[in-house]
């Protein structure tokens, strides 16, 4: 199903005007029912919000904001008169023609799409948008159709939060869906090319771009890199259809999450190919998962590292695994995502199909995380980092893009310096770093000394006496070389050996943001 016609600039402008006039934002809709009901609604439980909204309506009457929230956030039908009040410029007929609502009889209308406010803060400041996507399982009351166009979910906000925000000329959003990543990328790019295999997804993405007054986004139909053959980009972002889906057993092949390949082959294909579509210095960022196979002796990172080695052009790589799920839990996660409810025969049948597939291919668990690839401007690659960061981070994932950008810049800066030149610089401890010391009762010497990072990835570094003392002395006044010389004298050790031990550790602390160079 495609968007209804006519979809004209004036029609969308009328919709934009009505939504703005109603004050249809995240903060105002949350205020209608309060924080607890808003949290329940986020979990898919709409009764608390509906009860609060009904009580508010009895006190103050029906407002355009309440009508929009009832219709699009709670999935409840509204009367014609209320709908007309909510859309004074667009009109009821315009809302129907645009495909936003449909009549249910008796002078009432229900939502035909999901239309909800979206807010965020990035390096350019705060913003409020509206995002149109397909109705979810809560509104539909049944499993999703395979051509479902997903709205803004947890994965979307994770990727947008990870997105580097350095100004660039051209960005590629691979598999744009509702267009949310292309919209975010438009804030730091002159031109964005957004691709998808779904015509309906491109229709909805184009509507979202127009609705929010965003310019410079071009849409192309096609699979993976097919629509951009021979082109290069300064930045590639993608939440690709990476979900590992059995190719048999009647498992639905959802367009928004299934790339039509066996296992994690789609992620492998993107890793191998992305570098060829990057301009020198260009960066690709995408979400991905990878299979753990065998009896536990193998490591998924060995396979991922092999994909990087097989890249069509040499690339720097930074892979961060955020979680691992066993085969049964992974299957349950994605079956529920498609709207099939736990405890039904359909759920059990799909679970069996998934576990059969994993068993046949000797897959025991699946890792999920972030992949960052970069095409060097010139010369050899300098970055190969595969790490596991499970559990809570030091800051919300929504703010990690700036941290990643700073870390890449710090890596490049220190990689260009020999040890002597690096040690000649002065450094200061970052403002979010704290030190912890742990003692056995009665002991004078600590048993463990830790540096903790409050922001970024919330890293913890355990150091010995030399490293902790060096970091403590980094106040921007003395160079690392001077501090090492003083420590060597104090500890009565060889200065050259101490420098060889500490300088690599200091380099890592600079890259991860514990220490900041002082000009």
């Amino acid at each position: 199903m495609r968007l209804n016609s006519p979809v004209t600039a004036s029609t969308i402008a009328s919709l934009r005007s009505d939504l703005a006039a109603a004050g249809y934002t995240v903060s105002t809709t949350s205020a209608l029912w309060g924080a607890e009901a808003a949290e329940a609604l986020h979990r898919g439980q709409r009764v608390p919000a509906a009860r609060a909204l009904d009580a508010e309506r009895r006190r103050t009457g029906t407002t355009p904001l309440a009508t929009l929230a009832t219709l699009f956030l709670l999935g409840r039908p509204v009367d014609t008169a209320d709908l007309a009040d909510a859309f004074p410029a667009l009109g009821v007929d315009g809302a129907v023609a645009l495909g936003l609502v449909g009549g249910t009889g008796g002078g009432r209308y229900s939502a035909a799409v999901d239309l909800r406010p979206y807010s965020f803060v990035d390096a350019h400041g705060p913003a409020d948008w509206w995002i149109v996507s397909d109705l979810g399982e809560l509104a539909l009351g049944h499993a999703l159709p395979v051509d479902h166009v997903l709205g803004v979910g947890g994965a979307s906000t994770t990727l947008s939060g990870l997105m580097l925000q350095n100004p660039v000329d051209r960005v590629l959003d691979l598999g744009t869906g509702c267009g949310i990543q292309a919209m975010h990328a438009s804030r730091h790019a002159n031109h964005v090319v957004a691709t998808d295999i779904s015509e309906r997804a491109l229709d909805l993405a184009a509507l979202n771009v127009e609705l929010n007054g965003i310019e410079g986004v071009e849409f192309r139909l096609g699979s993976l890199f097919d629509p951009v053959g021979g082109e290069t980009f300064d930045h590639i972002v993608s939440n690709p259809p990476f979900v590992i889906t059995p190719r048999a057993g009647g498992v639905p092949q959802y367009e928004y999450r299934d790339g039509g390949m066996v296992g994690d082959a789609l992620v492998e294909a993107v890793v191998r190919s992305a570098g060829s579509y990057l301009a020198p210095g260009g960066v690709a960022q995408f979400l991905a998962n990878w299979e753990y196979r065998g009896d536990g002796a193998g490591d998924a990172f060995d396979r991922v590292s092999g994909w990087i080695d097989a890249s069509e052009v040499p690339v720097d790589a930074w892979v961060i695994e955020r979680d691992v799920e066993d085969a049964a839990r992974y299957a349950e996660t994605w079956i529920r995502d498609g709207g099939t409810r736990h405890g039904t025969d359909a759920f059990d049948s799909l679970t069996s199909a998934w576990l059969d597939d994993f068993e046949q291919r000797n897959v025991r668990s699946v890792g999920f995380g972030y992949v960052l690839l970069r095409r060097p401007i010139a010369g050899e690659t300098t970055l190969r980092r595969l790490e596991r960061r499970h559990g809570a981070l030091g800051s919300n994932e929504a703010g990690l893009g700036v941290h990643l950008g700073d870390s890449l810049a710090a890596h490049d800066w220190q990689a260009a310096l020999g040890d002597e030149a690096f040690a000649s610089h002065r450094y200061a401890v970052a403002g979010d770093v704290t030190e912890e010391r742990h003692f056995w009762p009665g002991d004078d010497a600590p048993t463990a000394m830790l540096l903790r990072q409050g922001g970024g990835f919330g890293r913890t570094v355990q150091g010995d006496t030399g490293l902790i003392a060096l970091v403590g002395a980094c106040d921007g006044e003395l160079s690392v070389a001077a501090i090492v010389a003083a420590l060597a004298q104090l500890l009565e050790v060889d200065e050259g050996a101490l420098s060889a031990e500490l300088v690599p550790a200091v380099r890592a602390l600079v890259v991860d943001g514990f220490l900041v160079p002082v000009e």
Side-chain angles (χ1 to χ4, degrees):
M1 171 182 170
R2 295 175 64 94
L3 286 177
N4 294 347
S5 295
V7 178
T8 65
S10 62
T11 302
I12 297 174
S14 295
L15 173 59
R16 184 189 313 121
S17 173
D18 290 339
L19 296 176
Y24 189 48
T25 67
V26 171
S27 60
T28 58
T29 53
S30 295
L32 284 173
W33 39 65
E36 291 183 2
E39 178 61 28
L41 189 60
H42 182 71
R43 300 193 303 267
Q45 170 57 274
R46 55 188 172 184
V47 172
R51 289 170 61 90
L53 189 54
D54 287 342
E56 179 68 18
R57 188 180 289 108
R58 288 193 294 270
R59 287 193 300 268
T60 63
T62 299
T63 64
L65 176 61
T67 297
L68 293 172
T70 299
L71 185 66
F72 293 112
L73 300 183
L74 301 185
R76 300 170 70 182
V78 298
D79 294 333
T80 304
D82 291 338
L83 186 63
D85 288 342
F87 289 127
L90 181 64
V92 173
D93 290 342
V96 173
L98 195 54
L100 302 180
V101 299
T104 60
R108 292 172 70 75
Y109 289 83
S110 62
V113 293
D114 188 294
L115 169 57
R116 63 183 57 230
Y118 172 72
S119 66
F120 64 94
V121 178
D122 63 10
H124 304 279
D128 287 285
W129 289 338
W130 303 287
I131 304 297
V132 181
S133 62
D134 278 332
L135 293 172
E137 176 244 340
L138 185 65
L140 292 174
H142 56 74
L144 303 177
V146 294
D147 62 349
H148 177 80
V149 178
L150 194 66
V152 178
S156 299
T157 55
T158 293
L159 181 59
S160 62
L162 289 168
M163 193 181 297
L164 301 182
Q165 298 171 38
N166 307 322
V168 295
D169 184 31
R170 304 186 77 222
V171 174
L172 170 63
D173 176 15
L174 196 71
T176 192
C178 70
I180 188 62
Q181 305 305 332
M183 294 165 66
H184 275 285
S186 73
R187 290 168 66 84
H188 68 269
N190 293 327
H191 184 73
V192 180
V193 176
T195 69
D196 207 286
I197 62 170
S198 166
E199 291 189 27
R200 176 161 176 77
L202 294 179
D203 284 343
L204 288 173
L207 171 60
N208 287 325
V209 164
E210 181 75 17
L211 177 60
N212 291 285
I214 294 171
E215 299 180 347
V217 180
E218 173 190 354
F219 296 98
R220 301 183 191 177
L221 180 68
S223 176
L224 294 179
F225 295 102
D226 289 348
V228 294
E231 300 179 55
T232 58
F233 299 86
D234 305 296
H235 195 183
I236 298 174
V237 295
S238 182
N239 181 12
F242 60 75
V243 176
I244 297 167
T245 307
R247 310 262 53 101
V251 178
Q253 315 294 305
Y254 291 109
E255 290 181 349
Y256 72 88
R257 72 185 202 191
D258 173 32
M261 299 185 187
V262 174
D264 52 18
L266 182 130
V267 175
E268 178 181 359
V270 174
V271 170
R272 287 171 176 257
S273 300
S276 298
Y277 298 90
L278 289 171
V283 174
Q285 293 179 274
F286 51 94
L287 305 183
N289 56 205
W290 34 81
E291 296 177 339
Y292 283 80
R293 299 175 179 174
D295 57 4
D299 189 319
F301 275 5
D302 292 337
R303 299 178 57 247
V304 175
S305 190
W307 302 343
I308 298 167
D309 290 338
S311 172
E312 295 170 3
V313 298
V315 290
D316 289 320
W318 189 356
V319 179
I320 301 171
E321 182 179 82
R322 291 288 292 119
D323 195 14
V324 176
E325 290 187 334
D326 61 65
R329 185 175 293 275
Y330 185 87
E332 178 180 344
T333 296
W334 293 108
I335 295 169
R336 291 172 65 92
D337 175 79
T340 301
R341 301 192 177 185
H342 194 279
T344 63
D345 290 342
F347 189 97
D348 292 345
S349 177
L350 291 174
T351 301
S352 293
W354 237 293
L355 295 183
D356 285 345
D357 175 66
F358 283 146
E359 184 177 331
Q360 290 166 7
R361 296 186 300 103
N362 202 20
V363 176
R364 55 187 175 84
S365 57
V366 179
F368 167 84
Y370 326 137
V371 177
L372 185 152
L373 305 175
R374 182 176 62 173
R375 186 168 184 171
I377 294 177
E380 299 294 324
T381 61
T382 63
L383 176 63
R384 173 68 67 89
R385 186 171 184 176
L386 290 83
E387 58 178 323
R388 294 178 170 90
R389 300 297 305 167
H390 296 178
L393 300 178
S395 59
N396 191 296
E397 285 177 305
L400 282 175
V402 172
H403 175 74
L404 284 173
D406 290 345
S407 292
L408 284 176
H411 166 81
D412 293 341
W413 179 81
Q414 62 83 32
L417 298 174
D419 284 348
E420 183 176 346
F422 177 83
S424 71
H425 282 270
R426 295 171 292 132
Y427 303 89
V429 179
D432 65 335
V433 174
T434 57
E435 178 186 326
E436 293 181 11
R437 297 192 177 211
H438 298 263
F439 298 81
W440 288 114
D443 283 359
D444 293 329
T447 57
M449 294 178 287
L450 307 174
L451 298 174
R452 290 195 184 276
Q453 181 182 55
F457 283 99
R459 300 179 187 279
T460 298
V461 174
Q462 183 167 349
D464 58 15
T465 301
L467 181 62
I468 297 300
L470 186 152
V471 171
C474 284
D475 58 4
E477 297 296 325
L478 296 174
S479 68
V480 165
I483 297 172
V484 169
L487 286 174
Q489 185 175 5
L490 179 66
L491 299 174
E492 298 181 346
V493 298
D494 179 74
E495 181 180 339
L498 186 62
S499 179
E501 175 189 339
L502 293 181
V503 167
V506 175
R507 285 183 183 271
L509 292 175
V510 169
V511 171
D512 288 337
F514 285 80
L515 295 175
V516 181
V518 175
E519 296 296 333

